[in-house]
């Protein structure tokens, strides 16, 4: 059985992490399959949005902790190798994908699994889902961008509490704290996330890619640099067919038909 499931419909590439018996924890195979799916999302023009979720009761429990021998006498483990080969490229790929990524967090999201969700563009969570920065429970540091997103999304005090204590944060608190976009009732998670992803897939893909670039560059930029970036990206957006279509549809008082270019 494949460690991820991939299907494509109505412009949406749906990717499901599929190691439910391991709470969808990452092993190298799952990393490689996810990388291939995201390459497909980047390469194929028909894919105009991605929907990421997990099979079973969890979204993702982070790294598969059974993969490494930590018994007394075992050789020291250099975790930077795995981060450099898998987790960092994954986060960079998600952030750089010039198409919107909707994450449907169907259950617990722990460790790198929590931060994988936060690397997506819009996070919906089932009411019963939770987010855990579980790294400190095993003596590690939040990775996969956790130390970047957390203080920016929820402020330093809450970021520090989440990281130090490694306690479960409920989906409702995650929404209230501004960590995620929205909570929905469990049975409505996939329908709502699919509708959202399909709506985005029918949108001005080129413009979405450019706005991702602008928002993700913002934390590292001065106002001056950001204004210059907005000018340059708006120039590019203004050359798109979808800009013309958007304005024409507005003037004609009809819904736009965006082609994504
Ligand atoms: C698991 C896991 C798991 C294997 C549950 N692995 N089996 C990057 C680079 C390199 C190395 C290190 O890490 C990283 C990044 C990271 O992600 S570090 C953080 C790794 N993840 C964790 O520490 C989370 C560990 N899991 C948990 O804290 C809990 O299982 C959570 C909060 C996710 C869920 O709790 P429960 O709902 O109470 O479920 P459970 O604990 O009973 O787990 C169910 C089963 O899943 C169980 O197996 P079993 O055979 O007893 O039924 C767990 O062993 C297994 N499982 N997470 N990461």
């Amino acid at each position: 059985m494949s460690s991820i499931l991939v299907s494509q419909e109505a412009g949406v590439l749906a990717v499901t992490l599929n190691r439910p018996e391991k709470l969808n924890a990452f092993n190298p195979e799952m990393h490689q399959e996810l990388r291939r799916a995201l390459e497909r999302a980047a390469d194929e023009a028909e894919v105009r949005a991605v929907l990421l979720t997990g099979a079973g009761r969890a979204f993702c429990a982070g790294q598969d902790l059974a993969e490494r021998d930590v018994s007394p006498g075992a050789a020291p483990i250099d975790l930077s190798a795995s981060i450099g080969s898998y987790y960092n490229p994954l986060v960079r790929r998600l952030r750089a994908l010039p198409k919107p990524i909707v994450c449907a967090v169907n259950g617990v999201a722990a460790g790198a699994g929590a931060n994988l969700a936060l690397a997506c563009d819009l996070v919906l969570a089932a009411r019963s889902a939770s987010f855990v920065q579980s790294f400190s429970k095993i003596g590690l540091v939040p990775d996969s961008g956790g130390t970047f997103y957390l203080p920016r999304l929820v402020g330093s005090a809450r970021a520090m509490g989440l990281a130090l204590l490694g306690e479960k944060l409920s989906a409702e608190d995650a929404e209230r704290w501004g960590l995620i976009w929205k909570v929905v009732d469990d049975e409505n998670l996939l329908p709502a996330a699919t509708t959202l992803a399909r709506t985005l897939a029918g949108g001005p893909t080129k413009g979405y890619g450019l706005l991702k670039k602008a928002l993700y560059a913002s934390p590292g930029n001065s106002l001056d640099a950001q204004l210059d970036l907005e000018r340059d990206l708006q120039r590019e957006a203004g050359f798109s067919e979808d800009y013309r279509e958007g304005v024409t549809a507005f003037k004609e008082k009809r819904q736009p038909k965006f082609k994504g270019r």
Side-chain angles (χ1 to χ4, degrees):
M1 191 160 66
S2 187
S3 60
I4 64 166
L5 305 173
V6 180
S7 64
Q8 191 176 328
E9 207 180 329
V12 176
L13 192 76
V15 178
T16 304
L17 307 176
N18 189 39
R19 301 185 74 219
E21 71 293 349
K22 295 277 188 179
L23 305 190
N24 302 318
F26 272 101
N27 63 2
E29 188 195 359
M30 195 164 95
H31 271 294
Q32 284 151 15
E33 290 183 18
L34 183 55
R35 191 196 64 216
R36 281 196 290 276
L38 292 172
E39 283 169 355
R40 172 174 163 190
D43 292 347
E44 293 186 8
E46 309 78 60
V47 175
R48 289 171 60 189
V50 173
L51 172 58
L52 178 65
T53 191
R57 74 172 175 93
F59 171 67
C60 175
Q63 169 64 35
D64 187 331
L65 296 176
E67 291 261 305
R68 291 186 174 80
D69 180 5
V70 291
S71 57
I77 301 162
D78 180 353
L79 297 180
S80 73
S82 163
I83 304 236
S85 311
Y86 294 124
Y87 290 94
N88 285 356
L90 169 59
V91 171
R92 291 191 173 111
R93 194 167 277 118
L94 291 165
R95 289 279 161 143
L97 188 78
K99 303 172 184 181
I101 307 172
V102 175
C103 184
V105 180
N106 51 299
V108 66
N115 296 335
L116 166 67
L118 301 182
C120 298
D121 303 317
L122 276 181
V123 185
L124 288 186
R127 204 166 295 283
S128 67
S130 55
F131 296 81
V132 200
Q133 294 293 323
S134 49
F135 306 89
S136 60
K137 299 277 191 196
I138 54 169
L140 294 184
V141 175
D143 61 24
S144 306
T147 59
F148 181 88
Y149 320 123
L150 290 171
R152 286 172 171 80
L153 291 170
V154 302
S156 317
R158 283 172 162 168
M160 191 58 91
L162 290 173
L164 279 177
L165 302 175
E167 290 173 357
K168 275 189 184 174
L169 183 73
S170 69
E172 285 176 354
D173 282 344
E175 182 196 64
R176 204 165 45 80
W177 288 14
L179 192 68
I180 62 166
W181 173 237
K182 265 180 195 165
V183 175
V184 295
D185 289 337
D186 288 19
E187 63 279 10
N188 199 27
L189 178 70
L190 265 191
T194 303
T195 301
L196 191 57
R198 286 187 184 178
T199 302
L200 289 167
T205 314
K206 172 99 184 164
Y208 289 158
L210 296 172
L211 80 80
K212 273 183 73 163
K213 216 182 236 185
L215 281 172
Y216 290 143
S218 170
N221 271 345
S222 63
L223 174 61
D224 265 348
Q226 194 66 16
L227 288 171
D228 287 350
L229 178 64
E230 287 176 0
R231 176 202 60 210
D232 295 346
L233 295 175
Q234 201 70 298
R235 179 170 188 274
E236 225 179 299
F239 291 143
S240 69
E241 279 183 41
D242 284 342
Y243 164 64
R244 288 179 183 236
E245 167 60 9
V247 176
T248 306
F250 175 77
K251 287 182 177 166
E252 293 174 356
K253 299 190 187 300
R254 63 170 173 80
Q255 287 302 309
K257 290 194 189 69
F258 291 121
K259 293 183 177 153
R261 48 181 196 260

